[in-house]
C-alpha cells in the first residue's frame, strides 16, 4: 500500500470515526463517567472497523489483476499465430522428461490461430457436436460428448454413447463416415501444429480420452463436473496429458455472452475470445492455469483435445456401429 493510501485511510478514520482527541473531548461529561467509558469503547470499535475497511479497499485496489485480451473475436489471425512464452512448471514434467525426453515439454507457452482449422471443418464439427449431444445432454449447463470413449452426458450422469445407439438401431446413423473423416483430419492437423510449435515429433503425440465436444448454456450446474468456471490446471485433472488444444465451434458476442477463456497469470490475465474455427493450444501444466467465464446467454460449443507423450494413454479410434440385417425372400427360402 502507498503512503498516500495510508494517509487517506487515516483521514477517513478521523472524519468518520471521530477518534482524535479534540472530538473525543467534546463528548466527555464529568457527571456521567460510565456513559463516557461506553462511548469511548463504541467509538474505538467504529474507528477500528473503518480502518479495516479502508485497508481492505486499498489493498484490493492495489492488487487488481490486469486483463490482457490475447485474441479478440473481431481479429482474424491468419498469419503466424499469436504466441506467449511462459516458464514451465518445475514439478509437472520432471519425471516425464526422463521417460519421454524428445516429447515432454522442454519449453512452455500458449498459441492462438484462425488458420489451422477451416470454416468448413469447424461448421462440420459443430454439426457433429449438435447431432451427438441431441441424443443426451445434461440437466445442467454443461454437456459433453467423447467420440473416443463414447462418454455422453445424460441428465445428471453419463452413458456410453456407442451402447446407446447399438440398443436403438434408429439412432445408429447419427454419425457418418464423413463425420469421422473430418474429425480425424482436423485432429491430425492439430497434432502436427502442436508438434511444430513445441518442437516435438508428431508421431509421439497421442490423443487421449480427455478429448470431447462440449456444450455450455446458462443453466445452473447439477454436479461437480459442470462447474467449469473454477481455476484449474489440465494436467492436475488428467495427469497423462502434456498438451491441450481447444477448437471453438461458436463465436463470442454472436452466439453467446461471456464464456471467454482466461489464462490466470501472476501479473495479468490473458483472455481469449472464442471464434468459430479458432484454435488454441498450450502446454497442460501449472504454467497455464486457466478458467472459463460463466456463460450468461446463448450456447457455447467447443472441441477440446488432449495429447500425451505416453502411448499407454492413446485413445481408441472412434467407430460407427453398423447394424446388419438379412432379409429372406419367402419364395427362395
Amino acid at each position: 500500500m502507498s503512503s498516500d493510501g495510508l494517509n487517506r485511510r487515516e483521514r477517513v478514520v478521523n472524519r468518520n470515526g471521530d477518534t482524535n482527541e479534540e472530538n473525543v473531548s467534546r463528548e466527555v461529561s464529568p457527571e456521567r463517567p460510565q456513559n463516557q467509558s461506553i462511548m469511548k469503547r463504541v467509538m474505538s470499535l467504529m474507528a477500528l472497523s473503518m480502518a479495516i475497511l479502508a485497508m481492505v479497499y486499498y489493498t484490493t485496489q492495489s492488487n487488481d489483476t490486469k486483463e490482457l485480451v490475447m485474441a479478440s473475436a473481431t481479429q482474424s489471425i491468419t498469419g503466424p499465430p499469436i504466441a506467449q512464452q511462459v516458464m514451465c512448471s518445475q514439478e509437472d514434467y520432471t519425471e516425464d522428461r526422463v521417460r519421454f525426453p524428445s516429447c515432454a515439454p522442454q519449453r512452455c507457452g500458449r498459441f492462438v490461430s484462425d488458420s489451422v482449422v477451416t470454416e468448413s471443418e469447424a461448421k462440420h464439427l459443430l454439426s457433429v457436436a449438435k447431432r451427438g449431444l441431441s441424443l443426451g445432454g445434461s440437466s445442467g449447463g454443461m454437456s459433453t460428448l467423447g467420440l473416443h470413449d463414447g462418454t455422453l452426458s445424460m441428465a445428471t450422469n453419463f452413458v456410453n454413447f456407442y451402447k446407446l445407439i447399438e440398443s436403438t438401431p434408429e439412432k445408429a446413423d447419427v454419425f457418418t463416415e464423413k463425420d469421422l473423416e473430418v474429425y480425424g483430419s482436423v485432429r491430425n492437423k492439430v497434432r502436427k501444429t502442436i508438434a511444430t510449435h513445441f518442437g516435438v515429433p508428431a508421431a509421439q503425440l497421442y490423443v487421449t480420452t480427455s478429448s470431447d465436444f462440449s456444450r455450455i448454456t446458462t443453466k445452473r450446474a447439477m454436479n461437480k463436473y459442470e462447474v467449469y468456471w473454477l481455476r484449474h490446471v489440465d494436467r492436475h485433472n488428467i495427469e497423462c496429458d502434456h498438451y491441450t488444444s481447444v477448437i471453438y465451434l461458436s463465436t463470442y458476442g454472436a452466439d453467446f455472452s461471456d464464456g471467454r477463456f482466461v489464462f490466470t497469470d501472476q501479473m495479468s490475465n490473458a483472455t481469449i475470445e472464442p471464434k468459430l474455427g479458432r484454435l488454441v493450444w498450450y502446454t497442460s501444466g501449472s504454467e497455464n492455469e486457466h478458467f472459463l467465464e460463466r456463460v450468461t446467454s446463448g450456447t457455447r460449443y467447443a472441441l477440446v483435445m488432449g495429447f500425451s507423450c505416453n502411448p499407454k494413454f492413446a485413445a481408441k479410434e472412434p467407430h460407427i456401429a453398423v447394424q446388419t440385417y438379412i432379409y429372406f425372400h419367402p419364395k427362395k427360402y
Side-chain angles (χ1 to χ4, degrees), residues 113-179:
S113 176
D114 296 332
S115 61
V116 177
V117 180
T118 68
E119 182 179 357
S120 174
E121 289 170 332
K123 287 181 176 179
H124 197 120
L125 292 174
L126 175 60
S127 173
V128 171
K130 288 182 175 180
R131 279 181 276 133
L133 288 166
S134 70
L135 300 184
S138 167
S139 299
M142 183 173 183
S143 302
T144 59
L145 167 67
L147 291 186
H148 292 280
D149 61 2
T151 301
L152 172 67
S153 297
M154 180 75 77
T156 57
N157 296 304
F158 296 93
V159 298
N160 187 295
F161 170 80
Y162 293 111
K163 289 184 178 180
L164 176 66
I165 60 177
E166 286 173 2
S167 63
T168 51
E170 66 273 14
K171 299 178 181 179
D173 61 351
V174 65
F175 291 146
T176 66
E177 291 289 351
K178 179 64 175 179
D179 296 332

Side-chain angles (χ1 to χ4, degrees), residues 150-264:
T151 301
L152 172 67
S153 297
M154 180 75 77
T156 57
N157 296 304
F158 296 93
V159 298
N160 187 295
F161 170 80
Y162 293 111
K163 289 184 178 180
L164 176 66
I165 60 177
E166 286 173 2
S167 63
T168 51
E170 66 273 14
K171 299 178 181 179
D173 61 351
V174 65
F175 291 146
T176 66
E177 291 289 351
K178 179 64 175 179
D179 296 332
L180 300 189
E181 179 184 329
V182 172
Y183 175 80
S185 174
V186 170
R187 181 191 63 201
N188 288 334
K189 287 204 294 184
V190 171
R191 188 206 324 264
K192 291 178 181 178
T193 299
I194 292 173
T196 298
H197 288 89
F198 285 111
V200 300
Q204 294 181 21
L205 289 177
Y206 304 92
V207 68
T208 68
T209 55
S210 64
S211 306
D212 54 36
F213 291 94
S214 67
R215 179 183 68 198
I216 300 177
T217 67
T218 58
K219 292 181 180 179
R220 66 184 182 91
M222 300 300 290
N223 56 52
K224 65 179 181 180
Y225 303 106
E226 296 179 21
V227 185
Y228 59 84
W229 54 85
L230 299 181
R231 293 186 179 194
H232 66 278
V233 174
D234 290 349
R235 190 159 166 77
H236 293 178
N237 294 335
I238 307 166
E239 190 176 349
C240 65
D241 284 0
H242 295 97
Y243 305 92
T244 307
S245 69
V246 185
I247 301 172
Y248 295 113
L249 305 179
S250 52
T251 301
Y252 167 78
D255 302 308
F256 60 92
S257 300
D258 295 313
R260 299 181 302 172
F261 185 103
V262 184
F263 288 109
T264 54

Side-chain angles (χ1 to χ4, degrees), residues 2-140:
S2 66
S3 58
D4 184 63
L6 284 170
N7 291 336
R8 184 177 176 189
R9 188 191 72 184
E10 291 170 358
R11 291 198 295 272
V12 170
V13 171
N14 287 333
R15 182 172 64 250
N16 297 330
D18 293 335
T19 59
N20 60 55
E21 294 179 1
E22 181 182 353
N23 290 334
V24 172
S25 65
R26 287 199 289 266
E27 299 289 341
V28 175
S29 173
E31 298 177 358
R32 304 180 66 179
Q34 186 175 1
N35 288 346
Q36 173 187 341
S37 178
I38 294 174
M39 182 63 70
K40 283 184 177 181
R41 287 199 296 270
V42 171
M43 293 174 67
S44 296
L45 288 172
M46 289 176 61
L48 180 60
S49 298
M50 291 294 291
I52 292 173
L53 287 173
M55 184 176 294
V56 170
Y57 174 78
Y58 288 110
T59 301
T60 303
Q61 290 297 99
S62 63
N63 290 338
D64 274 350
T65 302
K66 296 179 180 179
E67 179 186 81
L68 168 66
V69 178
M70 185 174 174
S72 72
T74 58
Q75 283 179 274
S76 182
I77 311 168
T78 55
I82 294 176
Q84 287 184 349
Q85 269 194 317
V86 292
M87 186 175 296
C88 292
S89 165
Q90 295 299 312
E91 301 175 357
D92 290 338
Y93 309 112
T94 303
E95 293 183 7
D96 285 349
R97 282 174 175 169
V98 176
R99 298 176 64 194
F100 312 105
S102 60
C103 179
Q106 299 291 338
R107 62 175 188 264
C108 297
R110 62 206 47 158
F111 296 85
V112 187
S113 176
D114 296 332
S115 61
V116 177
V117 180
T118 68
E119 182 179 357
S120 174
E121 289 170 332
K123 287 181 176 179
H124 197 120
L125 292 174
L126 175 60
S127 173
V128 171
K130 288 182 175 180
R131 279 181 276 133
L133 288 166
S134 70
L135 300 184
S138 167
S139 299

